[in-house]
Amino acid sequence: MLERRSSHEDLVDHLVRSTALRRGEAARVVLDVLAYFGETTEEFVRRRHRELQSGGAVNSEIFERIAAELPHRAVAPPELSLRQLRRIVYG
């Protein structure tokens, strides 16, 4: 009977071979990276708003920074206006 492997086992194998990570650590890294890049635009905007706000930034700075960060995501979303960013956070 063939052993069932997750779709990311090849990546885990690669990390184990190419780094000092043990298999469990490599699997956690892969899951963390997938979760990070699996974030929707709305989830990213809300999370970054919370992070920057907790760091003491004000909304005018926060929304400018988020707008600058969005095009650099793995799958860049369409360009959003500052108003659209505010609506994602505040509804």
Side-chain angles (χ1 to χ4, degrees):
M1 181 176 212
L2 291 175
E3 177 185 331
R4 184 179 170 118
R5 292 168 52 101
S6 77
S7 59
H8 305 293
E9 289 297 313
D10 287 342
L11 179 55
V12 172
D13 291 341
H14 172 73
L15 289 173
V16 169
R17 283 190 311 270
S18 63
T19 69
L21 295 174
R22 293 186 300 256
R23 184 160 201 79
E25 295 167 328
R28 281 193 304 277
V29 167
V30 169
L31 292 176
D32 285 347
V33 169
L34 291 172
Y36 177 82
F37 286 116
E39 217 174 20
T40 67
T41 299
E42 290 80 8
E43 291 167 337
F44 172 77
V45 169
R46 288 184 188 109
R47 176 179 61 79
R48 287 299 289 147
H49 183 270
R50 281 191 310 272
E51 291 171 354
L52 295 169
Q53 194 173 47
S54 70
V58 296
N59 277 344
S60 59
E61 298 167 348
I62 290 172
F63 292 117
E64 289 285 342
R65 182 154 175 198
I66 291 171
E69 291 176 357
L70 280 172
H72 302 285
R73 299 283 294 161
V75 178
E79 186 172 335
L80 300 173
S81 69
L82 299 181
R83 181 178 178 167
Q84 288 172 307
L85 294 172
R86 285 185 192 92
R87 289 184 66 103
I88 288 173
V89 173
Y90 296 114

